[in-house]
Amino acid sequence: MRSEDGGKSDAAVVRDALGVGIAVGLSGFAFGVTSAGSGLTLLQTCALSLLVFTGASQFALVGALAGGGNPFTAAAGAFFLGVRNAFYGLRLSQLLALPRAVRPFAAQWVIDETTAVALAQPTRRSVRIGFTVTGLTLYVLWNLTTLLGALGADAIGDTDAWGLDAAGPAVFLALLAPMLRTTMERVVAGLAVVLGLGLLPVLPAGVPVLVAALAAPAALWAEGRRRTRTGPAEDDDTVGEGR
């Protein structure tokens, strides 16, 4: 059935949402294995997926713990990665326009994948369908595969040898890359990569993630200084050329 206001058909939206939800949800298995391999119990691993439910933050937490990082530093790094979801929520709240009573429950599903699917939709109806189907599919699969991964960690053996800890970040980067459209966004992403990877050998586990978060304010400060020097006339031309 096609949307009444001329948008994508409901079936097409559901198909796209299921594709993202299933593809990403299966990587919960890698998180379960990695989490169990880092020393977390089955209950702790499943609680992270049920309550935190943001893959990049979960992988950052267990990765820092596995590397011998301080638990508080690991938690802080995971927290700062999760802060981005609050900004997603500001935008999605306008697009979804959900009843007030539903918003606290919907907030649990405000993550990279649901945001990407929702923002790709042309109408409010398709936004709601895309968000709901992606969120439901991903939440169920992610938690189920987390459980299976944690239970099967002993059978797999050395998780480092399999490189499963890279699955979550790889999915996150695959979703993020197409969203880096402007020069400023690419600069922030590049600077964050340089800071995060460059400081890995010299800082304790979990700390490079915190330092990498400084890429955004640093790039914005530099851009503000540049605009102050060039003046409004030249700045207007620059913005026009970037579109």
Side-chain angles (χ1 to χ4, degrees):
M1 181 180 71
R2 181 164 293 279
S3 174
E4 295 177 358
D5 46 11
K8 293 169 64 176
S9 70
D10 294 349
V13 178
V14 170
R15 183 185 63 244
D16 294 344
L18 285 174
V20 172
I22 293 173
V24 179
L26 293 176
S27 64
F29 182 84
F31 170 73
V33 172
T34 304
S35 180
S38 68
L40 271 67
T41 66
L42 176 65
L43 181 60
Q44 289 171 331
T45 298
C46 292
L48 277 173
S49 284
L50 283 167
L51 303 177
V52 178
F53 187 55
T54 173
S57 295
Q58 292 177 232
F59 272 103
L61 175 63
V62 300
L65 292 176
N70 182 287
F72 294 102
T73 302
F79 170 79
F80 278 106
L81 274 177
V83 165
R84 70 189 186 283
N85 294 339
F87 294 98
Y88 294 162
L90 293 175
R91 178 58 177 148
L92 288 179
S93 65
Q94 300 173 349
L95 296 176
L96 293 168
L98 296 172
R100 191 175 298 273
V102 178
R103 292 176 188 174
F105 302 99
Q108 177 70 353
W109 290 353
V110 176
I111 54 176
D112 302 302
E113 295 80 9
T114 55
T115 302
V117 173
L119 292 180
Q121 308 309 321
T123 65
R124 176 160 293 165
R125 175 186 175 86
S126 58
V127 166
R128 288 178 171 178
I129 293 174
F131 176 85
T132 303
V133 174
T134 305
L136 178 61
T137 305
L138 186 49
Y139 190 77
V140 171
L141 266 182
W142 181 267
N143 282 281
L144 177 60
T145 54
T146 292
L147 174 62
L148 294 175
L151 289 173
D154 290 338
I156 290 177
D158 184 9
T159 57
D160 291 338
W162 290 83
L164 292 176
D165 55 332
V171 171
F172 175 70
L173 290 176
L175 287 167
L176 176 65
M179 301 175 68
L180 302 178
R181 298 187 179 95
T182 68
T183 301
M184 175 56 66
E185 290 168 348
R186 296 188 186 101
V187 168
V188 170
L191 181 58
V193 169
V194 170
L195 289 174
L197 295 181
L199 296 174
L200 276 177
V202 296
L203 293 179
V207 176
V209 174
L210 300 178
V211 178
L214 299 175
L220 290 173
W221 176 81
E223 177 67 7
R225 295 273 296 179
R226 186 190 68 80
R227 292 187 178 186
T228 300
R229 290 196 303 269
T230 57
E234 184 176 339
D235 188 55
D236 285 343
D237 292 339
T238 303
V239 172
E241 292 173 359
R243 289 180 179 172

